[in-house]
Amino acid sequence: MKLSRRTPEPAAAVVEAEPADATTKGRPTPKRRDRAGVRGPVTAPKTRKEAYARQKQQTRAAREARKTPAVDMTVAQRRAALKAGDPAVLGKRDQGSTRKLARDYVDSRRLASNYFLVLFLLLIASAAIHAPILQLITLALAVGFIGEWYLMGKRIRRIALERFSETQGGNMTIGFYAGSRAYLPRRWRLPAPQVSLGDEI
């Protein structure tokens, strides 16, 4: 019995691409790498001068990214914003909820540190007349002021922990910040006081 060879089946017909919808571009979607464009190779700087130039360029770009509307203020506008306590113009030293709390704490109380400038007069007088007793009084007052600053820092830090669950620094750090504000006359303080004497904070 003679077996006949099986004829191969005809190749499957190529399915014609469906016509593009009227809403499409009528062309294939480009690949992601084609859309992203060709990236240039990232090379390390070869010389110190090139590295310095690149670092300078990056610093300038970072500074531009950090710019705020406060940069475009006039001197008068900036001072008014600083007096009002606008966070956009505050220095790094004055920023943060703990520092705001410290300013309000000092501005709402009468403290011994309000008379700290008298210490300088005593120092000048003791140097002029060479009075040992006056020097001892000056030293005792200085120690007293520092003690008050420490106690202020401790109280402010405790309140900050209760309200914000965090603080900016330890007792002495906060205390020195509060003390450096307390000895200034009220009208000289910047940011300007936002609370009155006797207010609860």
Side-chain angles (χ1 to χ4, degrees):
M1 183 176 176
K2 190 176 182 181
L3 297 176
S4 60
R5 285 187 179 181
R6 189 174 179 180
T7 57
E9 295 180 0
V14 178
V15 179
E16 294 183 2
E18 296 181 0
D21 190 63
T23 59
T24 62
K25 301 177 185 177
R27 55 186 174 83
T29 303
K31 295 180 180 180
R32 183 173 181 179
R33 64 171 178 267
D34 297 333
R35 286 188 286 116
V38 180
R39 295 182 181 178
V42 179
T43 57
K46 296 179 180 179
T47 63
R48 181 176 297 180
K49 185 176 180 180
E50 185 180 345
Y52 176 75
R54 183 176 298 185
Q55 184 179 6
K56 189 175 180 181
Q57 183 180 3
Q58 291 173 349
T59 303
R60 188 184 301 114
R63 190 184 301 118
E64 290 292 330
R66 288 196 305 268
K67 275 189 177 180
T68 63
V71 176
D72 301 324
M73 291 181 179
T74 64
V75 175
Q77 290 173 334
R78 190 177 182 85
R79 184 169 180 82
L82 180 60
K83 289 185 69 175
D86 187 350
V89 297
L90 289 180
K92 187 176 180 180
R93 177 175 179 267
D94 297 314
Q95 291 179 354
S97 54
T98 304
R99 300 303 169 93
K100 173 67 167 61
L101 177 64
R103 293 195 296 271
D104 290 344
Y105 183 93
V106 169
D107 296 337
S108 64
R109 286 167 170 76
R110 292 191 185 278
L111 303 162
S113 297
N114 298 149
Y115 307 98
F116 183 81
L117 293 179
V118 176
L119 190 65
F120 293 102
L121 298 177
L122 291 176
L123 284 172
I124 295 171
S126 64
I129 64 177
H130 302 287
I133 186 64
L134 199 55
Q135 293 175 356
L136 288 175
I137 293 173
T138 304
L139 180 61
L141 287 175
V143 172
F145 286 137
I146 293 174
E148 184 181 58
W149 294 357
Y150 174 80
L151 293 176
M152 275 197 299
K154 187 175 181 179
R155 293 186 190 118
I156 294 167
R157 188 170 184 273
R158 186 182 68 245
I159 297 172
L161 284 172
E162 292 173 356
R163 294 186 183 178
F164 316 124
S165 301
E166 60 179 1
T167 61
Q168 296 170 261
N171 296 339
M172 285 308 298
T173 302
I174 300 171
F176 268 96
Y177 175 79
S180 65
R181 183 177 178 85
Y183 76 76
L184 290 173
R186 192 177 180 87
R187 64 179 177 275
W188 292 359
R189 297 173 185 173
L190 286 176
Q194 307 295 314
V195 295
S196 301
L197 283 172
D199 285 354
E200 292 291 334
I201 60 167

